Amino acid sequence: MLVPQGSAQFIKVNVTLENGEPVFIYTDASGEQCPGDVTITQASTVTYLLNDQTGKGLKFVGVGFVTPFDEVIDAVTISSDGLLVQLVDLDRTPGTTKFQFVLSNTANTLLVLSPDPQIINRPEN
């Protein structure tokens, strides 16, 4: 998915249970399934919306990065209700960063990790 500057990009993070295990399916604004990856060519903010269909009270509590110091993502914010995560990418550093969403639940005190979508920076310089 390519994100142009100035547009709000939303990706829905749909979580269901299959045999008691969380299954993550990402969909774009038109409802089409996508891998959750985003390619950035200009400064942008990508918003991930949680659609918890597990009945377990999932909420975003963090975003974990494999390479947190690569400067691909500049900031992360999480809404107070835990349903939105925004990744701010000023697109100054070319490269790819992988991350996982960290979610809490109301069934126990364990945390849930998502599969790893990625942000790919391709500055147009």
Side-chain angles (χ1 to χ4, degrees):
M1 178 176 303
L2 195 62
V3 179
Q5 181 179 14
S7 68
Q9 183 62 46
F10 295 96
I11 296 176
K12 191 177 281 187
V13 181
N14 304 288
V15 188
T16 60
L17 289 178
E18 190 172 298
N19 298 321
E21 299 296 324
V23 175
F24 288 76
I25 298 171
Y26 301 98
T27 53
D28 61 21
S30 65
E32 296 294 318
Q33 191 169 335
C34 65
D37 300 346
V38 178
T39 299
I40 303 291
T41 59
Q42 299 175 8
S44 302
T45 299
V46 181
T47 301
Y48 289 89
L49 308 162
L50 179 61
N51 179 21
D52 176 20
Q53 299 174 358
T54 67
K56 302 292 184 188
L58 298 180
K59 301 214 184 245
F60 289 126
V61 294
V63 180
F65 289 82
V66 175
T67 54
F69 309 112
D70 61 10
E71 299 179 346
V72 172
I73 295 298
D74 298 288
V76 173
T77 59
I78 300 171
S79 64
S80 60
D81 63 4
L83 298 179
L84 297 170
V85 166
Q86 290 188 312
L87 303 181
V88 176
D89 184 346
L90 300 177
D91 198 36
R92 294 181 180 154
T93 305
T96 300
T97 196
K98 294 182 179 185
F99 59 93
Q100 291 178 284
F101 296 114
V102 181
L103 299 96
S104 65
N105 72 85
T106 56
N108 58 43
T109 58
L110 303 179
L111 299 176
V112 178
L113 293 176
S114 72
D116 58 340
Q118 57 188 8
I119 301 291
I120 303 161
N121 274 2
R122 293 192 180 133
E124 292 182 346
N125 293 342

